[in-house]
């Protein structure tokens, strides 16, 4: 079992930055597919970014150039650096992890955290 705990969410003004962290426990995630998705109540989830065991990354179009996903295998931790935040980025952000046999859609990953709220005001 992998337990994931997110932190780093909060409220910022438009144009601000936040860094989300996702600490894993119970199992190493060094060779896992990792990612972030976001979802608001009543809305469809949206994959934000993913990183595979080799470090290759994929971003949804709306965050390209603003968000950066990274992993620290020594700390068993995943990050999401979010710059130039916009009100449209307001959402609950979840980290997720999956064994390396499937990396396609972050929302479908086997393990996920409880989420951290990001609120961006204009």
């Amino acid at each position: 079992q992998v337990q994931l705990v997110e932190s780093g969410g909060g409220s910022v003004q438009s144009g601000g930055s936040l860094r989300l962290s996702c600490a894993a426990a119970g199992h190493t995630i060094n060779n896992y597919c990792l990612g972030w998705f976001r979802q608001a109540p009543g809305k469809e989830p949206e994959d934000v970014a993913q990183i595979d065991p080799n470090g290759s990354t994929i971003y949804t179009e709306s965050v390209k150039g603003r968000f950066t996903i990274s992993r620290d295998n020594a700390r068993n931790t995943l990050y999401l650096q979010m710059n130039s935040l916009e009100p449209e980025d307001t959402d609950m952000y979840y980290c997720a992890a999956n064994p390396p046999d499937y990396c396609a859609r972050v929302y479908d990953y086997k393990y996920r955290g409880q989420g951290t709220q990001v609120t961006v005001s204009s």
Side-chain angles (χ1 to χ4, degrees), residues 16-38:
S17 298
L18 286 173
R19 187 193 195 203
L20 305 185
S21 298
C22 174
H27 194 281
T28 179
I29 56 171
N30 291 355
N31 66 335
Y32 274 42
C33 302
L34 305 174
W36 295 89
F37 70 93
R38 58 190 181 187

Side-chain angles (χ1 to χ4, degrees), residues 2-76:
V2 176
Q3 294 85 43
L4 302 173
V5 178
E6 302 96 337
S7 61
S11 297
V12 297
Q13 291 192 325
S14 182
S17 298
L18 286 173
R19 187 193 195 203
L20 305 185
S21 298
C22 174
H27 194 281
T28 179
I29 56 171
N30 291 355
N31 66 335
Y32 274 42
C33 302
L34 305 174
W36 295 89
F37 70 93
R38 58 190 181 187
Q39 185 174 22
K43 289 177 58 179
E44 289 293 315
E46 178 186 30
D47 281 8
V48 176
Q50 60 178 262
I51 184 167
D52 73 8
N54 296 318
S56 296
T57 57
I58 297 175
Y59 298 90
T60 192
E61 191 65 32
S62 63
V63 309
K64 285 181 181 178
R66 300 188 298 122
F67 291 11
T68 303
I69 188 171
S70 62
R71 61 196 300 164
D72 185 336
N73 289 338
R75 296 180 182 271
N76 220 29

